[in-house]
């Protein structure tokens, strides 16, 4: 039995739902953890997953969800409660003797990272490591879907972000590639050489990304972006993270961050070369 959180999916990647699909295709028993028992939960039941409903921040629902589980996939949306959810999940996984937790982190998770969310992800990684549950941290770049959400908010007329000039570099990855790497790690019976797995599929400038979507890139002032972002995401934590994230990329500009690059983990563990932004844009039309 493999437990997958974030199993209902979402508009900005939904890797949990994709991991469920990949595991079921391989004949695995999957327990899907969802927040709400809605039509998405019913779809999960129809495709063969066992569905549990609960709050990842609440130990009373996390403990029973992990009973009988030996491997688990942990992802948490960009909203409040990451460290509460991490603590509950790590404690319950340790109690149950879980042998591997594959958890979605962020590319530059570190104590000195440029966004509060990245620093929280580093703390989350530490908690999972301390729990001794065989944690593997998927440090992923910006999902293609994140850019698609911003474009969709304008009616797909422009890609408006506070990133400075068109030549600002962005590390990008398809949510599907993150999911395939996650599923591959969950199914791999052997030991993991490195608990940190970098997952990034493409480097592109923001101008190139906008061209791929077939819309103009518009550089907006940070204060204007924050107002727009609140309308799009309606979540203070998401807006805080993204505002700092875009500022970080803008500061780096056309230069090169040590973590920028395309990593072989996608093909080696996920089983195919990284999806390109052009392929993603074509499939989304």
């Amino acid at each position: 039995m493999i437990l997958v959180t974030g199993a209902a999916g979402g508009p900005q990647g939904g890797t949990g739902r994709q991991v469920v699909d990949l595991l079921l295709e391989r004949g695995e028993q999957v327990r899907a953890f969802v927040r709400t028992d809605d039509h998405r939960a019913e779809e999960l039941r129809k495709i063969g997953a066992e569905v549990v409903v609960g709050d990842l921040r609440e130990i009373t629902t996390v403990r029973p969800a992990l009973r009988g589980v030996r491997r688990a996939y942990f992802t948490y949306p960009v909203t409040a409660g990451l460290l509460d959810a991490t603590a509950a999940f790590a404690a319950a996984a340790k109690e149950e003797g879980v042998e591997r937790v594959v958890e979605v982190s962020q590319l530059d998770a570190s104590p000195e990272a440029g966004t509060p969310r990245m620093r929280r992800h580093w703390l989350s990684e530490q908690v999972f490591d301390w729990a001794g549950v065989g944690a593997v941290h998927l440090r992923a770049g910006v999902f293609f879907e994140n850019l698609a959400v911003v474009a969709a908010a304008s009616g797909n007329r422009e890609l408006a972000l506070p990133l400075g000039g068109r030549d600002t570099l962005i590390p990008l990855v398809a949510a599907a590639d993150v999911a395939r790497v996650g599923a591959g790690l969950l199914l791999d019976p052997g030991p993991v050489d490195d608990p940190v797995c970098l997952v990034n599929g493409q480097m592109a400038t923001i101008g190139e990304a906008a061209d791929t979507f077939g819309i103009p890139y518009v550089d907006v002032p940070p204060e204007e972006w924050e107002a727009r972002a609140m309308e799009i995401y309606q979540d203070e934590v998401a807006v805080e993270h993204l505002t700092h994230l875009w500022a970080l990329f803008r500061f780096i500009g056309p230069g090169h961050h040590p973590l920028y690059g395309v990593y072989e983990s996608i093909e080696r563990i996920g089983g195919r070369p990284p999806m390109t932004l052009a392929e993603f844009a074509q499939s989304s039309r």
Side-chain angles (χ1 to χ4, degrees):
M1 178 67 73
I2 300 175
L3 177 69
V4 178
T5 70
Q12 296 191 66
T15 61
R17 174 54 199 266
Q18 296 184 66
V19 169
V20 169
D21 289 339
L22 290 166
L23 295 176
L24 289 175
E25 287 170 8
R26 290 161 173 77
E28 298 295 326
Q29 287 183 292
V30 177
R31 183 175 294 158
F33 194 107
V34 300
R35 180 70 184 268
T36 306
D37 196 348
D38 56 15
H39 68 280
R40 296 175 299 172
E42 189 55 35
E43 286 298 317
L44 288 164
R45 294 187 182 99
K46 287 179 181 177
I47 63 174
E50 175 191 336
V51 174
V52 293
V53 181
D55 184 341
L56 280 174
R57 300 167 298 180
E58 180 48 66
I59 190 67
T60 59
T61 58
V62 175
R63 286 181 77 206
L66 277 161
R67 289 198 184 114
V69 167
R70 284 296 168 263
R71 296 197 172 197
Y73 182 80
F74 177 88
T75 182
Y76 194 82
V78 183
T79 189
L82 171 64
L83 294 177
D84 290 334
T86 296
F89 203 88
K94 181 179 179 64
E95 181 182 57
E96 193 60 32
V98 172
E99 64 184 22
R100 181 171 298 170
V101 173
V102 178
E103 66 104 7
V104 180
S105 187
Q106 292 186 341
L107 189 61
D108 196 21
S110 71
E112 298 88 20
T115 85
R117 179 73 176 192
M118 286 180 180
R119 297 193 291 272
R120 293 181 200 121
H121 267 293
W122 182 79
L123 289 170
S124 178
E125 291 181 7
Q126 303 308 299
V127 173
F128 277 118
D129 288 344
W130 296 335
V133 292
V136 184
H137 314 295
L138 299 185
R139 291 188 181 172
V142 176
F143 286 8
F144 295 158
E145 289 82 354
N146 296 144
L147 298 183
V149 165
V150 175
S154 73
N156 290 308
R157 293 188 299 272
E158 63 184 20
L159 187 59
L161 288 165
L163 283 165
R166 282 176 51 89
D167 58 354
T168 297
L169 275 171
I170 307 292
L172 296 167
V173 68
D177 285 334
V178 177
R180 286 190 300 103
V181 172
L185 288 166
L186 289 168
L187 293 170
D188 187 351
V192 174
D193 294 332
D194 190 340
V196 173
C197 182
L198 299 176
V199 189
N200 198 56
Q202 181 177 351
M203 291 301 306
T205 68
I206 190 59
E208 290 169 340
D211 292 345
T212 302
F213 284 120
I215 55 179
Y217 163 62
V218 177
D219 178 31
V220 295
E223 58 274 12
E224 181 181 332
W225 153 257
E226 288 194 52
R228 291 191 188 195
M230 190 56 72
E231 292 181 8
I232 297 171
Y233 302 101
Q234 299 182 9
D235 186 292
E236 290 182 357
V237 174
V239 173
E240 171 199 57
H241 168 63
L242 290 168
T243 299
H244 283 84
L245 183 68
W246 305 138
L248 178 65
F249 294 146
R250 186 174 67 248
F251 174 77
I252 296 171
H256 196 82
H257 189 279
L259 290 174
Y260 282 5
V262 175
Y263 300 105
E264 50 80 35
S265 58
I266 294 174
E267 186 165 6
R268 177 173 57 85
I269 302 171
R272 54 151 281 181
M275 178 184 289
T276 66
L277 184 59
E279 290 171 332
F280 170 79
Q282 182 62 37
S283 66
S284 302
R285 290 194 178 106

